Amino acid sequence: MTDIRERHPGGQPVRLDHAAFTYGSADMLFDADFPSSTITAVMGPSGSGKSTLLNLVAGFETPRKGRVLIGDSDVTALAPAERPVSMIFQENNLFAHLDVAKNVGLGRSPALRLTSDDRRAVADALARTGLSDKEHRLPRELSGGERQRVALARALVRDRPVLLLDEPFGSLGPALRQDMLDLLAGVQAERRMTVLFVTHQPEDARRLAQKIVFLEAGIVTAAGSTEEFFAGDGPEGFRRYVGSQS
Ligand code: ADP
Ligand code: MG
């Protein structure tokens, strides 16, 4: 069997270099590093800029100043499709009129012209995410957790070095959320992609992430290892935030 690390691209480091962005009266300025092949939790109060930060990395937004770097490349001017990135949102990741296999196949070919290799990759990703028996279902015939598995399966067949998740399991109950976190952790351990994971749940970060980047009012106010954050003397803003969440 081929070593999985030979077949997949692994991760690439992501860096926001003084990337400035403005929405109306909200001024944001992000300076942050996301090490290659690690899971970083992006946390912070509602409105602090977590989604904007991910959108800048994905290319859905462009900074007015500063740069976005992935690996050795400056991707600031690249369109989303040209970046080595996949993104999963809280919901509405799927096309309602396409079945599970087709929604996953889109990760390989936007026109769904799939080679036999592509079909094999889709079948593998469905098996990996526990969806093999549901390939002909439409999104409305799935649970919320299953829909997010389909989105993850599509990210697997895209096989990009960077995976962005914006509160992907936020609408799921606690037990299901744990299953999804385990699945994500397992997949990341195999593929070694760089993961940026937005979550409101300190427990999710503690379980999954090696690093935390904490935002307040549009800037990074703390960044460091998960251990440091959860130590008794972790960053003050973060401790206040965790206190307010429980
Ligand atoms: P978070 O994901 O942390 O809740 P966002 O990145 O969505 O924060 O938002 C950051 C700031 O930008 C907030 O002040 C928010 O009100 C503002 N904002 C976000 N999206 C828009 C938009 N489409 N139009 C105007 N302001 C926006
Ligand atoms: Mg958000």
Side-chain angles (χ1 to χ4, degrees), residues 4 37 53 79 115 118 127 143 168 189 201 238:
I4 207 147
S37 301
L53 188 156
T115 65
D118 292 335
S143 70
Q201 306 283 343
F238 179 72

Side-chain angles (χ1 to χ4, degrees), residues 50-51 166-167 198:
K50 304 180 296 296
S51 294
D166 194 352
E167 302 190 51
V198 175

